[in-house]
Amino acid sequence: MTNGMTEITQGAAMGWQDFYARRDALNAAVEQGELRPSDAFPDERDLLAALQHRWSQRLTARIEVAGLEHTDPMDTVGEAWRSTAKDNPDLRALLDTHADDPALHPLIDAEHRGLARAAGLTEPGDSPAEEASIGAAFVALQRTAPAGTPRRNPVERLFRRLGASA
């Protein structure tokens, strides 16, 4: 789910000074709720991609941890997405504000494909577009799911039934 960062860093080695400058610029963007080019990120697109990468890293880690607590992949991924969003509301809000930016489209699609696969909602023959669409629907369900009740949403129950009957 972290596709694209190699492109951003262009394979260049990053020293500690660069690392801290980038970290500070990301933190400032999240705290201020806006994209401000800086020496670390002179291009807003690079800053947006790095923010998406930060989100993806946190989400991926949560999926791995949630996998230790849940046996159902849909519950695992859903709980991971919701808890990551709850613990990173400013980052999520900033990314949501800029979700229509073309720089994020391939990264968001990659995230959605990964979530759909991890939740067990796709099959090997599904196209990338189908996987992204399924993942986007899954994320929409997570955004509207009441806290502490991962299976109360009727569409999610339908997904679950369809998955079990396939």
PDB file of all heavy atoms in Angstrom, residues 37-53:
ATOM      1  N   PRO A  37       4.330  24.294   0.816  1.00  0.00           N
ATOM      2  CA  PRO A  37       5.641  23.868   0.310  1.00  0.00           C
ATOM      3  C   PRO A  37       6.757  24.357   1.231  1.00  0.00           C
ATOM      4  O   PRO A  37       6.651  25.395   1.879  1.00  0.00           O
ATOM      5  CB  PRO A  37       5.723  24.533  -1.070  1.00  0.00           C
ATOM      6  CG  PRO A  37       4.289  24.737  -1.468  1.00  0.00           C
ATOM      7  CD  PRO A  37       3.569  25.028  -0.180  1.00  0.00           C
ATOM      8  N   SER A  38       7.812  23.576   1.311  1.00  0.00           N
ATOM      9  CA  SER A  38       8.947  23.898   2.172  1.00  0.00           C
ATOM     10  C   SER A  38      10.215  23.404   1.482  1.00  0.00           C
ATOM     11  O   SER A  38      10.159  22.846   0.388  1.00  0.00           O
ATOM     12  CB  SER A  38       8.784  23.202   3.525  1.00  0.00           C
ATOM     13  OG  SER A  38       8.833  21.798   3.350  1.00  0.00           O
ATOM     14  N   ASP A  39      11.333  23.596   2.136  1.00  0.00           N
ATOM     15  CA  ASP A  39      12.583  23.079   1.576  1.00  0.00           C
ATOM     16  C   ASP A  39      12.527  21.558   1.466  1.00  0.00           C
ATOM     17  O   ASP A  39      13.036  20.983   0.517  1.00  0.00           O
ATOM     18  CB  ASP A  39      13.774  23.484   2.452  1.00  0.00           C
ATOM     19  CG  ASP A  39      14.070  24.973   2.377  1.00  0.00           C
ATOM     20  OD1 ASP A  39      13.624  25.620   1.395  1.00  0.00           O
ATOM     21  OD2 ASP A  39      14.727  25.491   3.301  1.00  0.00           O
ATOM     22  N   ALA A  40      11.880  20.920   2.426  1.00  0.00           N
ATOM     23  CA  ALA A  40      11.785  19.460   2.415  1.00  0.00           C
ATOM     24  C   ALA A  40      10.825  18.973   1.330  1.00  0.00           C
ATOM     25  O   ALA A  40      11.040  17.911   0.744  1.00  0.00           O
ATOM     26  CB  ALA A  40      11.330  18.954   3.782  1.00  0.00           C
ATOM     27  N   PHE A  41       9.761  19.727   1.080  1.00  0.00           N
ATOM     28  CA  PHE A  41       8.764  19.378   0.066  1.00  0.00           C
ATOM     29  C   PHE A  41       8.416  20.626  -0.741  1.00  0.00           C
ATOM     30  O   PHE A  41       7.412  21.287  -0.471  1.00  0.00           O
ATOM     31  CB  PHE A  41       7.486  18.833   0.734  1.00  0.00           C
ATOM     32  CG  PHE A  41       7.669  17.515   1.401  1.00  0.00           C
ATOM     33  CD1 PHE A  41       7.816  17.448   2.773  1.00  0.00           C
ATOM     34  CD2 PHE A  41       7.700  16.336   0.666  1.00  0.00           C
ATOM     35  CE1 PHE A  41       7.982  16.237   3.416  1.00  0.00           C
ATOM     36  CE2 PHE A  41       7.863  15.120   1.291  1.00  0.00           C
ATOM     37  CZ  PHE A  41       8.008  15.063   2.666  1.00  0.00           C
ATOM     38  N   PRO A  42       9.243  20.968  -1.743  1.00  0.00           N
ATOM     39  CA  PRO A  42       8.963  22.174  -2.519  1.00  0.00           C
ATOM     40  C   PRO A  42       7.716  22.047  -3.392  1.00  0.00           C
ATOM     41  O   PRO A  42       7.146  23.044  -3.811  1.00  0.00           O
ATOM     42  CB  PRO A  42      10.219  22.367  -3.375  1.00  0.00           C
ATOM     43  CG  PRO A  42      10.976  21.100  -3.290  1.00  0.00           C
ATOM     44  CD  PRO A  42      10.496  20.344  -2.105  1.00  0.00           C
ATOM     45  N   ASP A  43       7.276  20.827  -3.633  1.00  0.00           N
ATOM     46  CA  ASP A  43       6.110  20.572  -4.481  1.00  0.00           C
ATOM     47  C   ASP A  43       4.978  20.004  -3.624  1.00  0.00           C
ATOM     48  O   ASP A  43       5.173  19.039  -2.890  1.00  0.00           O
ATOM     49  CB  ASP A  43       6.509  19.573  -5.574  1.00  0.00           C
ATOM     50  CG  ASP A  43       5.416  19.303  -6.565  1.00  0.00           C
ATOM     51  OD1 ASP A  43       4.225  19.374  -6.204  1.00  0.00           O
ATOM     52  OD2 ASP A  43       5.738  18.986  -7.721  1.00  0.00           O
ATOM     53  N   GLU A  44       3.788  20.596  -3.731  1.00  0.00           N
ATOM     54  CA  GLU A  44       2.641  20.124  -2.953  1.00  0.00           C
ATOM     55  C   GLU A  44       2.305  18.672  -3.252  1.00  0.00           C
ATOM     56  O   GLU A  44       1.859  17.937  -2.382  1.00  0.00           O
ATOM     57  CB  GLU A  44       1.405  20.998  -3.225  1.00  0.00           C
ATOM     58  CG  GLU A  44       1.366  22.255  -2.426  1.00  0.00           C
ATOM     59  CD  GLU A  44       0.030  22.975  -2.553  1.00  0.00           C
ATOM     60  OE1 GLU A  44      -0.949  22.393  -3.081  1.00  0.00           O
ATOM     61  OE2 GLU A  44      -0.031  24.133  -2.107  1.00  0.00           O
ATOM     62  N   ARG A  45       2.503  18.257  -4.483  1.00  0.00           N
ATOM     63  CA  ARG A  45       2.198  16.866  -4.853  1.00  0.00           C
ATOM     64  C   ARG A  45       3.090  15.893  -4.092  1.00  0.00           C
ATOM     65  O   ARG A  45       2.638  14.829  -3.669  1.00  0.00           O
ATOM     66  CB  ARG A  45       2.327  16.665  -6.358  1.00  0.00           C
ATOM     67  CG  ARG A  45       1.234  17.354  -7.106  1.00  0.00           C
ATOM     68  CD  ARG A  45       1.415  17.237  -8.612  1.00  0.00           C
ATOM     69  NE  ARG A  45       0.208  17.717  -9.228  1.00  0.00           N
ATOM     70  CZ  ARG A  45      -0.442  17.071 -10.174  1.00  0.00           C
ATOM     71  NH1 ARG A  45       0.006  15.935 -10.620  1.00  0.00           N
ATOM     72  NH2 ARG A  45      -1.549  17.578 -10.669  1.00  0.00           N
ATOM     73  N   ASP A  46       4.347  16.246  -3.951  1.00  0.00           N
ATOM     74  CA  ASP A  46       5.254  15.387  -3.188  1.00  0.00           C
ATOM     75  C   ASP A  46       4.839  15.340  -1.719  1.00  0.00           C
ATOM     76  O   ASP A  46       4.885  14.285  -1.082  1.00  0.00           O
ATOM     77  CB  ASP A  46       6.701  15.886  -3.296  1.00  0.00           C
ATOM     78  CG  ASP A  46       7.289  15.667  -4.682  1.00  0.00           C
ATOM     79  OD1 ASP A  46       6.705  14.904  -5.468  1.00  0.00           O
ATOM     80  OD2 ASP A  46       8.339  16.279  -4.971  1.00  0.00           O
ATOM     81  N   LEU A  47       4.425  16.485  -1.188  1.00  0.00           N
ATOM     82  CA  LEU A  47       3.968  16.541   0.196  1.00  0.00           C
ATOM     83  C   LEU A  47       2.712  15.689   0.375  1.00  0.00           C
ATOM     84  O   LEU A  47       2.606  14.911   1.325  1.00  0.00           O
ATOM     85  CB  LEU A  47       3.701  17.992   0.605  1.00  0.00           C
ATOM     86  CG  LEU A  47       3.162  18.231   2.011  1.00  0.00           C
ATOM     87  CD1 LEU A  47       4.063  17.628   3.084  1.00  0.00           C
ATOM     88  CD2 LEU A  47       2.987  19.731   2.256  1.00  0.00           C
ATOM     89  N   LEU A  48       1.774  15.807  -0.544  1.00  0.00           N
ATOM     90  CA  LEU A  48       0.555  14.998  -0.480  1.00  0.00           C
ATOM     91  C   LEU A  48       0.880  13.508  -0.544  1.00  0.00           C
ATOM     92  O   LEU A  48       0.329  12.710   0.220  1.00  0.00           O
ATOM     93  CB  LEU A  48      -0.364  15.347  -1.658  1.00  0.00           C
ATOM     94  CG  LEU A  48      -1.502  16.288  -1.397  1.00  0.00           C
ATOM     95  CD1 LEU A  48      -2.273  16.546  -2.682  1.00  0.00           C
ATOM     96  CD2 LEU A  48      -2.417  15.777  -0.316  1.00  0.00           C
ATOM     97  N   ALA A  49       1.754  13.138  -1.449  1.00  0.00           N
ATOM     98  CA  ALA A  49       2.130  11.730  -1.581  1.00  0.00           C
ATOM     99  C   ALA A  49       2.813  11.225  -0.304  1.00  0.00           C
ATOM    100  O   ALA A  49       2.574  10.095   0.128  1.00  0.00           O
ATOM    101  CB  ALA A  49       3.038  11.528  -2.792  1.00  0.00           C
ATOM    102  N   ALA A  50       3.634  12.057   0.306  1.00  0.00           N
ATOM    103  CA  ALA A  50       4.298  11.664   1.550  1.00  0.00           C
ATOM    104  C   ALA A  50       3.297  11.537   2.697  1.00  0.00           C
ATOM    105  O   ALA A  50       3.424  10.644   3.547  1.00  0.00           O
ATOM    106  CB  ALA A  50       5.400  12.661   1.901  1.00  0.00           C
ATOM    107  N   LEU A  51       2.295  12.394   2.719  1.00  0.00           N
ATOM    108  CA  LEU A  51       1.247  12.287   3.734  1.00  0.00           C
ATOM    109  C   LEU A  51       0.444  11.001   3.537  1.00  0.00           C
ATOM    110  O   LEU A  51       0.121  10.300   4.499  1.00  0.00           O
ATOM    111  CB  LEU A  51       0.317  13.499   3.689  1.00  0.00           C
ATOM    112  CG  LEU A  51       0.917  14.801   4.205  1.00  0.00           C
ATOM    113  CD1 LEU A  51       0.073  15.995   3.777  1.00  0.00           C
ATOM    114  CD2 LEU A  51       1.077  14.763   5.722  1.00  0.00           C
ATOM    115  N   GLN A  52       0.153  10.665   2.286  1.00  0.00           N
ATOM    116  CA  GLN A  52      -0.550   9.415   1.993  1.00  0.00           C
ATOM    117  C   GLN A  52       0.314   8.220   2.397  1.00  0.00           C
ATOM    118  O   GLN A  52      -0.179   7.234   2.931  1.00  0.00           O
ATOM    119  CB  GLN A  52      -0.924   9.337   0.511  1.00  0.00           C
ATOM    120  CG  GLN A  52      -1.621   8.046   0.110  1.00  0.00           C
ATOM    121  CD  GLN A  52      -2.978   7.855   0.747  1.00  0.00           C
ATOM    122  OE1 GLN A  52      -3.703   8.814   0.975  1.00  0.00           O
ATOM    123  NE2 GLN A  52      -3.348   6.613   1.020  1.00  0.00           N
ATOM    124  N   HIS A  53       1.594   8.337   2.180  1.00  0.00           N
ATOM    125  CA  HIS A  53       2.524   7.270   2.581  1.00  0.00           C
ATOM    126  C   HIS A  53       2.510   7.096   4.104  1.00  0.00           C
ATOM    127  O   HIS A  53       2.487   5.968   4.604  1.00  0.00           O
ATOM    128  CB  HIS A  53       3.932   7.595   2.083  1.00  0.00           C
ATOM    129  CG  HIS A  53       4.955   6.582   2.463  1.00  0.00           C
ATOM    130  ND1 HIS A  53       4.991   5.325   1.906  1.00  0.00           N
ATOM    131  CD2 HIS A  53       5.971   6.628   3.354  1.00  0.00           C
ATOM    132  CE1 HIS A  53       6.000   4.641   2.438  1.00  0.00           C
ATOM    133  NE2 HIS A  53       6.593   5.418   3.316  1.00  0.00           N
TER     134      HIS A  53
END
